Amino acid sequence: MAGAAVGRQWLDTRGPALAVRSPIDGRVLATVRGATPADVKRVVDASAEAFKTWRTVPAPRRGEFVRRIGEKLRAAKGDLAALVTLEAGKITQESLGEVQEMIDVCDFAVGLSRQLYGLTIASERPGHRMMEQWHPLGPVGVISAFNFPVAVWAWNAMLALVCGDTVVWKPSEKTPLTALACHRIVCDVISESKDLNVPDGVVAVVVGDAGVGQALAESEQVPLVSATGSTRMGRAVATTVARRLGRSLLELGGNNGMILAPSADLELAVRAITFAAAGTCGQRCTTLRRLIVHNSIRRDVVDRLAKVFARLRVGDPRQDGVLVGPLVDEAAGEAMDRALKAARAAGGVVHGGGWVMDGVPDGGVYVRPAVVEMPDAAAPVIREETFAPILYVLGYDTLDQAIAIHNDVPQGLSSAIFTSDVREAETFLSPSGSDCGIANVNIGTSGAEIGGAFGGEKATGGGRESGSDAWKTYMRRTTNTVNYSRDLPLAQGIRFDA
Ligand code: NAD
């Protein structure tokens, strides 16, 4: 299978062949011929050429193109979700949710296509007018991670498209098939959109490993690189893009915490914790990894969670009733084992964990989600993101102490507090509360809606994508001053009479 395409044109790529395996049973689903850095250059050149046309298409017509993509995604929702499950190992419900996110962001982008507003600004000079305009930026590179194989692309691409940018997508080498399927869907829309003057190269895809991502990050013609993945990858991409003074939008690892106060509704909290910590088999950037619980209820909460985690059905993600599918690969299972070993060595008491062998498909890596009582927050393993379902439990006595523990990790993506005390809730949301990009009250850390700006601080990278005014990153702002008087007054009252 070809590993690169510019619109409807598939390229004969020359990179190494990638065997794509299903995490469900390790079976090879397909082999894709990866791209080389030279292929990346061809794709980027074509994208830059297409940009010259696409930037001149009126934004609402670009929105109409995205509306049609949304319609196609609606029609393909079941099939695409099934492919997400096959390739990324998510349970069907979560895969359907992921495709729904793509549809939602299409709707959002369509509305946005008529709202790319600039400001009009009062000029200090008589007979002058100042205004801002937002213009398309150019080809946008999108590097995505395996765990949201399609939604992250849509968050970026649909906004970029209405903003007048073209898009070059480098999906995870673990999940290229879903990317190729999405690309095919957009190709069908291009074929059916002759009335909109859509250039073929408005979307492109290049399959490959880190080297292909690196080549994209190095491309001078790509003014913005949006990269989703580990903090390690983000550092490499940020450095490469900064070296050429490009713009990067980074969505990196999280180490998300929740404070559980004594006044909280515990029934609600346990349900929220379970979805946030064990859902997607702990493989969400927003997965709950640290529970900071008031010491007066700590024992009770740990007992409840240990019971619920022990009951969760682990298995084939396509089966009804299964809530925890496989880890992506064996390396992920080994990373989980290593983290649990380190936690035990630091005095942690582990409930659950371990590989599940019975009632699961052969060839996949299935694990029991773990609750780990930790004596304190000092163990280095708590500060790292292990991409697996491990929930560390820490105790606290005062809210100040809880917030200090909460913020004392390198990452800053998502956070939550469960409390019925409005003072505690507001303190958590205040400047002296959570230091994350996302802070919730009485809901878990995962499962964000597309309407808000999504992203996090510190080692999570600082980027924001999807809703709110995240679109501004995909455009360039010009400030225009127009003189309609017969004089030439200078700003700040400067006199310069030659
Ligand atoms: P990863 O970092 O291994 O790979 C992500 C992508 O980056 C892949 O496409 C990969 O090929 C590419 N890549 C890797 N090194 C690169 C380099 N040096 N230059 C250019 N591209 C490079 O991540 P993963 O294992 O696929 O995904 C899991 C990670 O992603 C976790 O850390 C998770 O928290 C994070 N993530 C973050 C968000 C977010 O929005 N903050 C969303 C999803 C996943």
Side-chain angles (χ1 to χ4, degrees), residues 337-348 374 379 381:
D337 287 348
R338 271 198 309 278
L340 292 179
K341 200 169 159 206
R344 280 195 186 95
M374 294 300 288
V381 70

Side-chain angles (χ1 to χ4, degrees), residues 143 214 217 225-242 248-253 458-462:
I143 298 173
Q214 173 77 14
V225 177
S226 171
T228 299
S230 57
T231 294
R232 182 181 36 80
M233 174 282 289
R235 273 189 225 288
V237 169
T239 311
T240 303
V241 175
S248 48
L249 190 171
L250 302 174
E251 298 281 353
L252 312 176
K458 304 193 290 185
T460 303

Side-chain angles (χ1 to χ4, degrees), residues 121-470:
I121 299 151
S123 169
E124 66 188 51
R125 287 172 278 187
H128 283 57
R129 185 168 70 83
M130 274 173 79
M131 65 174 182
E132 286 177 348
Q133 291 190 83
W134 291 90
H135 290 312
L137 199 57
V140 172
V142 177
I143 298 173
S144 60
F146 81 85
N147 67 322
F148 273 90
V150 291
V152 164
W153 165 73
W155 290 359
N156 284 280
M158 300 312 143
L159 260 58
L161 288 174
V162 298
C163 288
D165 303 328
T166 52
V167 179
V168 178
W169 184 9
K170 205 302 274 176
S172 164
E173 55 274 46
K174 292 177 187 167
T175 55
L177 302 182
T178 41
L180 296 176
C182 290
H183 185 80
R184 279 298 299 270
I185 287 171
V186 180
C187 287
D188 288 348
V189 181
I190 294 174
S191 296
E192 292 163 16
S193 298
K194 295 206 169 55
D195 56 320
L196 296 177
N197 196 22
V198 184
D200 234 351
V202 73
V203 287
V205 61
V206 275
V207 171
D209 59 9
V212 171
Q214 173 77 14
L216 187 57
E218 280 169 1
S219 305
E220 295 275 352
Q221 295 187 89
V222 177
L224 169 66
V225 177
S226 171
T228 299
S230 57
T231 294
R232 182 181 36 80
M233 174 282 289
R235 273 189 225 288
V237 169
T239 311
T240 303
V241 175
R243 210 177 291 126
R244 60 177 176 86
L245 300 183
R247 195 185 289 181
S248 48
L249 190 171
L250 302 174
E251 298 281 353
L252 312 176
N255 190 353
N256 315 293
M258 177 195 289
I259 295 174
L260 184 51
S263 64
D265 178 334
L266 283 192
E267 286 295 320
L268 215 65
V270 167
R271 278 166 54 197
I273 292 165
T274 306
F275 174 66
T280 332
C281 198
Q283 298 170 113
R284 283 194 190 217
C285 52
T286 50
T287 289
L288 179 64
R289 309 203 181 275
R290 298 175 302 128
L291 180 66
I292 304 152
V293 50
H294 195 268
N295 278 324
S296 63
I297 53 170
R298 182 175 172 171
R299 188 71 266 136
D300 180 26
V301 168
V302 169
D303 290 347
R304 286 188 197 215
L305 287 173
K307 268 196 204 113
V308 176
F309 279 31
R311 269 203 319 262
L312 288 173
R313 213 168 130 204
V314 178
D316 189 325
R318 295 165 295 193
Q319 275 178 16
D320 275 351
V322 166
L323 295 177
V324 182
L327 283 172
V328 69
D329 54 22
E330 221 163 281
E334 286 159 7
M336 179 168 176
D337 287 348
R338 271 198 309 278
L340 292 179
K341 200 169 159 206
R344 280 195 186 95
V349 177
V350 179
H351 307 265
W355 295 35
V356 176
M357 299 296 182
D358 293 335
V360 300
D362 285 343
V365 179
Y366 294 85
V367 294
R368 168 75 43 204
V371 179
V372 185
E373 294 177 78
M374 294 300 288
D376 54 50
V381 70
I382 305 179
R383 299 170 62 78
E384 291 162 13
E385 179 197 48
T386 301
F387 220 50
I390 303 176
L391 179 65
Y392 300 109
V393 181
L394 301 157
Y396 79 89
D397 291 314
T398 66
L399 184 64
D400 282 352
Q401 191 191 4
I403 292 172
I405 294 171
H406 177 274
N407 291 348
D408 187 25
V409 289
Q411 309 83 351
L413 180 52
S414 186
S415 62
I417 188 168
F418 263 76
T419 179
S420 298
D421 180 335
V422 71
R423 289 197 183 91
E424 289 189 335
E426 290 292 336
T427 302
F428 185 72
L429 302 181
S430 78
S432 45
S434 162
D435 63 359
C436 291
I438 297 168
N440 298 331
V441 176
N442 293 335
I443 60 165
T445 52
S446 63
E449 299 179 24
I450 63 98
F454 182 90
E457 301 301 328
K458 304 193 290 185
T460 303
R464 292 295 185 278
E465 57 192 26
S466 192
S468 185
D469 63 353

Side-chain angles (χ1 to χ4, degrees), residues 1 18-32 82-89 174-178 318:
M1 202 181 284
L18 287 171
V20 186
R21 290 179 184 278
S22 173
I24 297 174
D25 52 11
R27 191 163 50 97
V28 174
L29 298 171
T31 303
V32 182
L83 193 56
V84 169
T85 289
L86 204 57
E87 198 179 36
K174 292 177 187 167
T175 55
L177 302 182
T178 41
R318 295 165 295 193

Side-chain angles (χ1 to χ4, degrees), residues 15-168:
L18 287 171
V20 186
R21 290 179 184 278
S22 173
I24 297 174
D25 52 11
R27 191 163 50 97
V28 174
L29 298 171
T31 303
V32 182
R33 173 68 60 193
T36 60
D39 295 325
V40 173
K41 183 166 182 333
R42 279 159 73 198
V43 168
V44 168
D45 285 349
S47 185
E49 196 54 38
F51 172 67
K52 290 181 191 159
T53 306
W54 188 236
R55 67 184 172 187
T56 65
V57 174
R61 291 180 75 73
R62 300 193 297 244
E64 170 59 14
F65 177 59
V66 168
R67 191 190 68 73
R68 293 178 194 179
I69 297 174
E71 289 301 302
K72 277 268 187 277
L73 289 173
R74 275 184 175 83
K77 182 174 172 181
D79 289 344
L80 202 48
L83 193 56
V84 169
T85 289
L86 204 57
E87 198 179 36
K90 290 186 182 194
I91 61 170
T92 301
Q93 274 301 309
E94 292 194 50
S95 297
L96 287 167
E98 174 159 2
V99 180
Q100 187 59 45
E101 271 192 57
M102 304 173 77
I103 296 166
D104 292 345
V105 85
C106 285
D107 287 353
F108 180 88
V110 175
L112 190 61
S113 71
R114 291 182 184 268
Q115 300 177 74
L116 303 170
Y117 302 137
L119 296 172
T120 298
I121 299 151
S123 169
E124 66 188 51
R125 287 172 278 187
H128 283 57
R129 185 168 70 83
M130 274 173 79
M131 65 174 182
E132 286 177 348
Q133 291 190 83
W134 291 90
H135 290 312
L137 199 57
V140 172
V142 177
I143 298 173
S144 60
F146 81 85
N147 67 322
F148 273 90
V150 291
V152 164
W153 165 73
W155 290 359
N156 284 280
M158 300 312 143
L159 260 58
L161 288 174
V162 298
C163 288
D165 303 328
T166 52
V167 179
V168 178

